Amino acid sequence: LIVESVAPLGDEYQGILKKGLTVDRWVDRYENQNKRCGAYSTGCYDSHPFILMNYKGSLRDVMTLAHEAGHSLHSYLSNKNQPYAYSNYSIFVAEVASTFNEDLLFNYMLKNISSSVEKAYLLNQKIDDIRSTLFRQTMFAEFELLIHEMAEDGIPLTQDALKGLYKDLYVQYYGPDLHLDPEIEVEFLRIPHFYSSFYVYQYATGISAAQALSDNLEQGSNKALEKYLNFLSSGSSYFPVELLLNAGVNMNDPGTYKNLISRFDTLVDELKMLISNDKNAT
């Protein structure tokens, strides 16, 4: 599924990924003692990428593998085309290739699914992915900013203060009618990215950029494929916002983010219509 879904990126990209996943053993897929949780793409300048994850064959696992494969090909192409000093791309662009690949896989599966139940499941997962990557990660970023400002202003970071702030942000972002489990107040303690300062924001910017680039490719925009592959091959040879501008997306334009929100609205409407039609049919 993943190899077929990246066909719009050309034969070379598709061939590298297929060989990596099926021949060169890029993926450590099994649970093991002392293996970290989560999923990662790692490696070094003169090695091929390594993907560490626990793969059990669910749709979520397939999406996760597509995500990590996006990271891997970004690293592979940057290492191949850049000297060591410029091969490692910055955090600002780190989540673009990964979420781009997820979108390609989603589009491919949606076009090839005939069952309305499976289509509804897929739409629901995509909607939740955007919610968790754009809205939730932005909420995370705001929480992180606010607690740093508290520290700078000499306000004690007590347990009650942190819990209260986190809960208030949940209500602000999701609305007052949301039912909140009491334990949600301490959710921030188990978010590993909070232990790497100012890391989470780039998920929201990354998925916004990826959606714009995916749209460019799907719409056949002028040299969209060439620009995107150049981006994947550029490492940190330019400043990150400039890299994305060269690829065809302006991160200083509010429209870039509004475009993803519009996509979210469209998917929700599509899911509602699908569910409504199924109810009417029965």
Side-chain angles (χ1 to χ4, degrees):
L1 278 173
I2 294 169
V3 172
E4 289 297 323
S5 73
V6 300
L9 296 181
D11 293 340
E12 182 180 5
Y13 184 104
Q14 193 177 33
I16 294 168
L17 180 58
K18 182 177 182 178
K19 188 170 183 288
L21 295 182
T22 62
V23 178
D24 289 342
R25 303 178 67 191
W26 286 9
V27 185
D28 176 7
R29 62 175 291 181
Y30 296 109
E31 293 186 50
N32 204 350
Q33 185 175 2
N34 298 323
K35 185 179 181 181
R36 288 183 64 181
C37 62
Y40 305 87
S41 174
T42 186
C44 61
Y45 183 69
D46 55 0
S47 79
H48 65 64
F50 293 91
I51 296 173
L52 284 77
M53 65 179 295
N54 295 329
Y55 184 93
K56 299 178 181 178
S58 68
L59 177 59
R60 169 59 61 188
D61 291 338
V62 177
M63 285 290 181
T64 299
L65 181 57
H67 180 103
E68 298 306 325
H71 285 308
S72 294
L73 265 291
H74 192 178
S75 297
Y76 180 96
L77 292 171
S78 286
N79 290 344
K80 179 181 177 182
N81 291 282
Q82 297 297 325
Y84 177 78
Y86 297 117
S87 62
N88 191 23
Y89 44 83
S90 75
I91 187 176
F92 190 82
V93 301
E95 294 300 329
V96 175
S98 54
T99 47
F100 187 100
N101 273 26
E102 283 191 71
D103 200 55
L104 287 180
L105 177 59
F106 169 77
N107 291 337
Y108 178 82
M109 293 183 69
L110 198 65
K111 290 175 183 176
N112 290 279
I113 283 178
S114 57
S115 164
S116 60
V117 174
E118 290 179 348
K119 188 174 182 179
Y121 184 91
L122 190 63
L123 285 168
N124 182 71
Q125 177 158 310
K126 182 65 172 179
I127 289 165
D128 198 52
D129 282 343
I130 297 176
R131 176 200 65 82
S132 60
T133 308
L134 177 65
F135 296 102
R136 188 169 184 249
Q137 297 291 344
T138 301
M139 184 192 76
F140 283 174
E142 185 168 357
F143 174 74
E144 188 174 23
L145 175 62
L146 290 173
I147 63 175
H148 277 79
E149 289 177 345
M150 289 171 64
E152 290 172 351
D153 293 338
I155 300 172
L157 297 177
T158 65
Q159 174 180 271
D160 288 343
L162 293 173
K163 288 166 62 176
L165 175 61
Y166 195 76
K167 180 180 178 181
D168 289 346
L169 283 172
Y170 243 94
V171 173
Q172 178 184 335
Y173 272 75
Y174 291 105
D177 298 328
L178 182 71
H179 173 74
L180 287 177
D181 191 296
E183 278 70 31
I184 200 67
E185 294 180 349
V186 292
E187 182 191 38
F188 65 91
L189 292 171
R190 60 159 294 274
I191 305 298
H193 292 138
F194 281 145
Y195 298 91
S196 300
S197 296
F198 296 104
Y199 185 93
V200 293
Y201 79 90
Q202 44 106 14
Y203 285 102
T205 56
I207 193 174
S208 300
Q211 184 62 58
L213 294 170
S214 179
D215 289 346
N216 289 345
L217 185 65
E218 188 172 3
Q219 293 163 8
S221 300
N222 186 36
K223 296 185 177 180
L225 176 57
E226 180 183 342
K227 290 179 180 179
Y228 181 66
L229 293 177
N230 284 339
F231 162 74
L232 295 182
S233 303
S234 296
S236 57
S237 56
Y238 294 91
F239 288 115
V241 172
E242 189 177 357
L243 279 173
L244 289 169
L245 190 61
N246 292 339
V249 56
N250 184 358
M251 299 307 293
N252 291 315
D253 181 4
T256 298
Y257 309 95
K258 292 178 180 178
N259 175 59
L260 181 59
I261 295 172
S262 296
R263 176 83 188 286
F264 181 88
D265 292 340
T266 299
L267 292 170
V268 170
D269 290 341
E270 189 173 349
L271 179 60
K272 285 180 178 178
M273 185 176 296
L274 186 63
I275 292 173
S276 176
N277 289 342
D278 276 359
K279 285 181 178 179
N280 294 334
T282 56

